[in-house]
Amino acid sequence: MSFERRWADLEPIGRANSGGYRRFAWTREDAVLREWFAGEAQALGLDLTQDRAGNQWAWWGSIDAAVAAGDRGVVTGSHLDSVPDGGAFDGPLGVVSALAAVEALQASGFVPARPIGVVNFVDEEGARFGVACAGSRIITGAMTGERAAGLRDGDGVTMAEALRSAGQDPSILGRDDETLLRIGTFIELHVEQGLALAGDGPQAPVGVASAIWPHGRWRFDFAGEANHAGTTRLADRHDPMLDYARAVLEAREAATRHNAVATFGKVQVEPNGVNAIPSLIRAWLDARGPTEASALDVVQDLTRSTGAVVTEESWTATTSFDGPLRDRLAALLAGPDGPAPILGTGAGHDAGILAAAGIPTGMLFVRNPTGISHSPAEFATLDDCRAGVEALTRTLKDLAS
Ligand SMILES: [Zn+2]
């Protein structure tokens, strides 16, 4: 089956000793993945283009002729980059399934009434430059090309410099109306990142997304006074590590209180010496919830109780996927027990960025028996992956007929 061959192709690329993947935007690993995608597109006879952010689009059928005639394409796909030591499925499952679905449609003799596109979004995880969904944010104008170009990675390399090293032209970074005009509908297939379809869930291999939870990132600065760890009496210390530690515990309590989730997952210590009382703790809070109030209340409580200087770095309101499209997908993919299950998600996706830009968008989730994501433990069985390809094939056929 074409799914398995493609999956095996990707398996060694960017694999770290941990067993997880390190596939970051505009690195050597990313170049290998992009080359692989281009080769797959060519093998299927698709026309490959690249937009102003470097996202790759592979079209079956003449998209320019369709747009000239007032029509648009049906697009599917996802991303090939990963978080540090990420799993194999987050992103690649959607790209590989998209290519396999197109191949299945071609093999069946199906002739699409409108072009079908497969996209590989660049830099979805934001692992290198800190902004998630950079590729889709740039082309929709949610992030300006100027801001993107100036983002820096951990080594101080800007995105513009990284693009240049990868043989790309950073001067064209920006909103891309020509590309947006081509997308009539976008469907992203993705591994489920919780247990909504497994565990106590409905036990279906594939579900349909309803909405993406509102989510944001905040920087907390806890100031203190650097001093000697041996000679400074406890009573004389102003140790911000204690304030930070209290904030971590309070974040958990506030999240529980407001039915949200909150995580301090990144922290910097100055001067970061074993024998020095810190002068500054800088920590980043990720907060999300089923409602906007639930997430914002957590941040408000922490701002009040911790005394830290809090800076909002990003905030994304609830993203609801297209209602009629969601119901159409749930009916189309119905199993013996009725329509496919509909579920919300706490994770951001390129599909959410496109939906927020007004493009009719839907997502399909493939069951993940571990419920774990952004870790090598992320998983989907081969049977469920096949069910995902089958669901996506039916979806594309329905939307492009
Ligand atoms: Zn993803």
Side-chain angles (χ1 to χ4, degrees):
M1 186 197 179
S2 59
F3 177 89
E4 287 151 81
R5 194 268 303 158
R6 292 186 175 94
W7 197 250
D9 284 354
L10 293 181
E11 214 261 331
I13 304 172
R15 186 149 209 179
N17 290 335
S18 63
Y21 287 93
R22 297 181 152 254
R23 296 165 169 168
F24 308 141
W26 306 118
T27 58
R28 188 200 309 257
E29 291 75 21
D30 195 34
V32 173
L33 292 162
R34 293 171 67 82
E35 206 172 303
W36 176 85
F37 182 83
E40 291 298 310
Q42 193 182 24
L44 290 171
L46 312 181
D47 297 325
L48 189 73
T49 65
Q50 195 179 303
D51 63 27
R52 293 182 62 187
N55 304 305
Q56 294 176 295
W57 304 79
W59 286 102
W60 179 18
S62 173
I63 186 60
D64 289 334
V67 171
D71 202 0
R72 295 177 180 211
V74 177
V75 183
T76 184
S78 191
H79 59 96
L80 293 174
D81 68 321
S82 77
V83 296
D85 294 313
F89 293 82
D90 180 349
L93 184 64
V95 175
V96 169
S97 298
L99 294 166
V102 166
E103 185 172 24
L105 287 173
Q106 290 181 341
S108 74
F110 176 70
V111 180
R114 58 182 55 87
I116 292 178
V118 178
V119 60
N120 169 31
F121 278 112
V122 71
D123 201 8
E124 194 275 342
E125 301 288 5
R128 183 170 178 191
F129 297 103
V131 177
C133 302
S136 55
R137 280 186 205 275
I138 293 167
I139 61 161
T140 57
M143 173 164 65
T144 64
E146 200 182 3
R147 181 174 169 223
L151 293 173
R152 286 180 190 277
D153 70 9
D155 296 326
V157 178
T158 64
M159 187 185 285
E161 289 162 352
L163 279 159
R164 246 178 257 119
S165 309
Q168 305 283 334
D169 176 9
S171 72
I172 63 168
L173 282 176
R175 185 181 161 95
D176 191 334
D177 287 306
E178 196 185 345
T179 294
L180 296 177
L181 265 177
R182 294 172 170 173
I183 315 168
T185 310
F186 178 60
I187 305 290
E188 181 169 1
L189 178 145
H190 204 277
V191 69
E192 223 262 294
Q193 294 172 289
L195 287 167
L197 296 171
D200 301 332
Q203 297 299 329
V206 178
V208 178
S210 54
I212 294 177
W213 282 9
H215 54 279
R217 296 178 181 186
W218 290 263
R219 194 181 79 224
F220 282 60
D221 288 340
F222 301 88
E225 189 180 25
N227 212 332
H228 195 289
T231 58
T232 316
R233 295 187 315 160
L234 290 177
D236 295 338
R237 296 180 181 208
H238 185 186
D239 182 351
M241 187 66 85
L242 300 179
D243 301 323
Y244 169 60
R246 272 190 285 271
V248 174
L249 297 174
E250 282 172 25
R252 176 63 172 258
E253 284 163 18
T256 306
R257 202 158 54 237
H258 296 296
N259 186 33
V261 290
T263 309
F264 277 109
K266 176 176 168 179
V267 59
Q268 287 175 355
V269 181
E270 286 179 21
N272 206 22
V274 178
N275 54 359
I277 297 162
S279 58
L280 178 75
I281 307 290
R282 179 163 282 176
W284 282 263
L285 178 82
D286 177 307
R288 314 173 189 222
T291 66
E292 293 176 13
S294 62
L296 293 175
D297 285 350
V298 170
V299 180
Q300 201 172 61
D301 285 8
L302 286 175
T303 304
R304 208 177 292 133
S305 65
T306 62
V309 176
V310 181
T311 309
E312 180 186 298
E313 292 201 338
S314 73
W315 169 248
T316 308
T318 306
T319 308
S320 295
F321 291 113
D322 188 81
L325 179 60
R326 174 200 63 210
D327 295 342
R328 180 172 172 175
L329 295 177
L332 181 73
L333 305 176
D337 304 328
I342 292 177
L343 48 138
T345 173
H349 298 284
D350 292 309
I353 304 295
L354 295 192
I359 294 169
T361 300
M363 286 190 78
L364 303 179
F365 288 118
V366 172
R367 175 167 54 193
N368 175 354
T370 67
I372 293 173
S373 186
H374 288 183
S375 142
E378 182 181 274
F379 188 62
T381 65
L382 182 56
D383 278 351
D384 284 1
C385 291
R386 285 176 170 157
V389 173
E390 158 70 9
L392 188 60
T393 305
R394 278 162 66 188
T395 299
L396 295 177
K397 190 172 181 178
D398 183 62
L399 295 172
S401 285

